[in-house]
Amino acid sequence: VTSVTVVGHDFGGPVAVALSARRPEVVAALGLAATNVFTDTPIPFPLSTVNWPAVGSLSRRALFAPMALRMMLRQGVGAGCGPIDPAAHLGDRAQQQAISTIFAGSLTHLEALYGPVEAHLPHLEIPVFVGWGDRDPFFPLEQGERVARATHAELRIYPGAGHFLPHERPGELATDIASLMSRVRR
């Protein structure tokens, strides 16, 4: 593979940016959808309790238990979106454990994990697309605007959409990714 367009949603966003930092000769364009790439992103309550002394481990177990993950999944979709299938998005018990580990770890180690990602943003010299739902309960639209400014990218707002853009707006997102790919210098 000599040239790719990498698109990351949610936890995939930092991975996509990190890949572009490690392999700039290969990553020709970057898409970021409903994601965090900053060390100082506010962590809302009750998620912030995972970092509290004495109760953090209890909070992690409660907040990232399978039932809680299913509830977050349901709450993450915007108005008018049909039900989201937990089996397809959360997987089996092992996959849910992996999601819990990644989720809790990213909240607990924001500086260490997201510092290199944030530091790379000003160095992006490739086409970047940022997509955001204006009803995202996890990352408000202001966060999307901030990501777009930091990456010198266009911001595509999906009215009425929540956090799960690939599920909620697959056709529109695919069209926007195709548009991003068309901007790649050959």
Side-chain angles (χ1 to χ4, degrees):
V1 175
T2 59
S3 178
V4 297
T5 296
V6 180
V7 180
H9 169 257
D10 194 74
F11 290 119
V15 173
V17 174
L19 179 61
S20 73
R22 283 194 173 193
R23 298 297 307 272
E25 75 283 2
V26 174
V27 178
L30 182 65
L32 300 171
T35 189
N36 177 44
V37 291
F38 302 108
T39 59
D40 64 349
T41 297
I43 301 172
F45 182 83
L47 294 176
S48 59
T49 63
V50 302
N51 293 323
W52 290 5
V55 298
S57 63
L58 292 173
S59 291
R60 279 192 286 282
R61 280 195 295 263
L63 291 170
F64 306 125
M67 184 185 303
L69 289 175
R70 285 191 297 278
M71 186 175 71
M72 279 192 259
L73 191 65
R74 281 193 303 273
Q75 292 175 338
V77 295
C81 180
I84 194 162
D85 180 14
H89 292 273
L90 297 176
D92 61 13
R93 186 176 210 56
Q95 178 65 29
Q96 290 173 28
Q97 181 60 45
I99 292 168
S100 297
T101 300
I102 291 168
F103 206 150
S106 70
L107 294 174
T108 306
H109 305 290
L110 266 175
E111 183 67 41
L113 295 173
Y114 289 78
V117 171
E118 185 174 354
H120 184 64
L121 298 178
H123 305 287
L124 289 170
E125 295 180 2
I126 56 177
V128 179
F129 159 79
V130 176
W132 227 267
D134 67 356
R135 304 258 193 253
D136 189 326
F138 307 127
F139 298 120
L141 186 54
E142 294 78 24
Q143 185 75 357
E145 293 164 346
R146 185 177 178 205
V147 172
R149 279 192 309 275
T151 59
H152 306 288
E154 64 179 277
L155 173 63
R156 169 73 149 89
I157 300 169
Y158 299 90
H163 182 71
F164 298 102
L165 298 177
H167 171 78
E168 297 178 68
R169 301 294 174 81
E172 292 172 67
L173 187 58
T175 298
D176 291 334
I177 292 168
S179 176
L180 170 68
M181 293 171 67
S182 73
R183 295 179 12 222
V184 171
R185 285 180 252 145
R186 302 276 173 214

